[in-house]
Amino acid sequence: ITYSAALSACEKGEQWVHALQLFREMADSLVERDTITYNAAVSACEKGEQWVQALQLFHEMSDLRVTRDTITYNAAVSACEKGEQWVQALQLF
């Protein structure tokens, strides 16, 4: 729960670089990354207008069989919108 709170704080503070560093640290430390932590990381990328990183995380969720929910899709679509990547947004569905 501490990682989730830290990721959310990074997201709210628009610190997408720190959020991704923390997210990768979780993997390196063998801490399970679930839908909630992925959503926080995708949302941090969206807020930082980093659509490429947001979509990488979005697709990684599928590869690792982590459930994507409405929050995941909303953040990914919003990241594409901010990056003017409408084709990419439509390909999410």
Side-chain angles (χ1 to χ4, degrees):
I1 207 161
T2 304
Y3 276 106
S4 294
L7 284 168
S8 292
C10 289
E11 172 205 344
K12 288 177 178 54
E14 297 184 18
Q15 298 296 316
W16 68 271
V17 173
H18 292 356
L20 288 183
Q21 288 173 341
L22 184 59
F23 189 74
R24 299 297 177 211
E25 180 183 304
M26 289 177 70
D28 294 343
S29 300
L30 303 177
V31 175
E32 181 182 359
R33 299 177 299 171
D34 60 11
T35 302
I36 294 168
T37 55
Y38 266 96
N39 284 349
V42 173
S43 294
C45 291
E46 176 264 324
K47 294 245 185 331
E49 298 184 14
Q50 301 300 311
W51 68 271
V52 172
Q53 287 85 352
L55 292 186
Q56 286 175 343
L57 292 169
F58 180 87
H59 293 300
E60 183 177 298
M61 290 177 77
S62 178
D63 295 342
L64 298 176
R65 300 188 196 286
V66 176
T67 302
R68 297 183 288 201
D69 61 12
T70 304
I71 294 168
T72 315
Y73 279 91
N74 283 343
V77 168
S78 182
C80 290
E81 181 263 327
K82 288 180 179 180
E84 298 181 8
Q85 300 296 317
W86 293 106
V87 173
Q88 295 287 338
L90 291 173
Q91 292 175 348
L92 297 176
F93 298 96

